[in-house]
Amino acid sequence: MPRGRYSLHDPHDHTPLGEEHFHCAPGPSGWRYVAQTTTPGGDHRGSVDLAVDALGRPIRLELNAAGWQVRGAAIDGVTWVRTDPAGAEATEGNVAAPGFTGTSPAFLIATARLLRLTPGAPATRIRLVALTDPVLAPRTVDQAWALVSRAEHPTDSGPLVVDEYRVTALDTGEVHTVHIAGDVVLSAPGIELEHLETPPSSFTDGEDDADGDGFDDFAD
């Protein structure tokens, strides 16, 4: 079960945005990612709890940031409820899209699981609902993903398979590169893996699932 820490920064001017302390686990029913986010000064900023099914579809999402909260899932596309900091009102949304995206590296893993791309194949277009910082405002984005290469690298704990993706924002034409190993993002625009306690998990690992919920057991 990987545990570690990402540093987050603005992908354009590299302004530090804070850190994301995470742990994640695959299981027979899919994959779950839980994280706490902090400001550059170390104060609590928010949290991420994302669970996807075996096909990569979001079966549960809860994001918290700046007092705002979003809960969502794959229902008739994706459906979500966004609540304001005062808790006075909540707004609902629904888009014919297969998943969400946002600042957290968890969304890159989930999108890669949704697409199941083949190295060298043509790019695949996908529509996602982006929950943008700092107030988790939803907007629909279209991207094109291509799996450029898959390479095996020797490590002390065995071979590490790294996938290199080319991701294109179809509204602006901006292209960036994402490197993923198992269920850990090694690097992406605005994201750097700073610390990893255990190697990434593969989605074929037979992990223990003591309570039968389809995921490894770990504290929220």
Side-chain angles (χ1 to χ4, degrees), residues 173-199:
E174 184 178 9
V175 180
H176 57 263
T177 300
V178 175
H179 290 94
I180 294 175
D183 57 354
V184 172
V185 175
L186 302 182
S187 65
I191 299 168
E192 292 294 338
L193 180 64
E194 300 290 351
H195 175 69
L196 187 63
E197 293 183 10
T198 54

Side-chain angles (χ1 to χ4, degrees), residues 74-198:
I75 303 173
D76 297 326
V78 289
T79 299
W80 68 91
V81 176
R82 178 172 174 264
T83 307
D84 65 292
E89 59 183 70
T91 56
E92 299 183 2
N94 173 264
V95 170
F100 296 97
T101 189
T103 302
S104 174
F107 294 114
L108 296 174
I109 302 294
T111 302
R113 291 296 293 164
L114 272 168
L115 294 174
R116 309 291 179 94
L117 300 176
T118 301
T124 297
R125 177 172 177 157
I126 186 169
R127 173 161 291 177
L128 300 167
V129 174
L131 301 168
T132 57
D133 285 343
V135 295
L136 305 180
R139 67 184 182 94
T140 303
V141 299
D142 293 309
Q143 299 177 343
W145 280 59
L147 179 51
V148 177
S149 66
R150 174 170 290 157
E152 188 173 281
H153 300 271
T155 70
D156 293 340
S157 56
L160 181 69
V161 177
V162 178
D163 289 339
E164 179 184 336
Y165 292 91
R166 183 178 65 249
V167 181
T168 304
L170 295 181
D171 57 346
T172 64
E174 184 178 9
V175 180
H176 57 263
T177 300
V178 175
H179 290 94
I180 294 175
D183 57 354
V184 172
V185 175
L186 302 182
S187 65
I191 299 168
E192 292 294 338
L193 180 64
E194 300 290 351
H195 175 69
L196 187 63
E197 293 183 10
T198 54

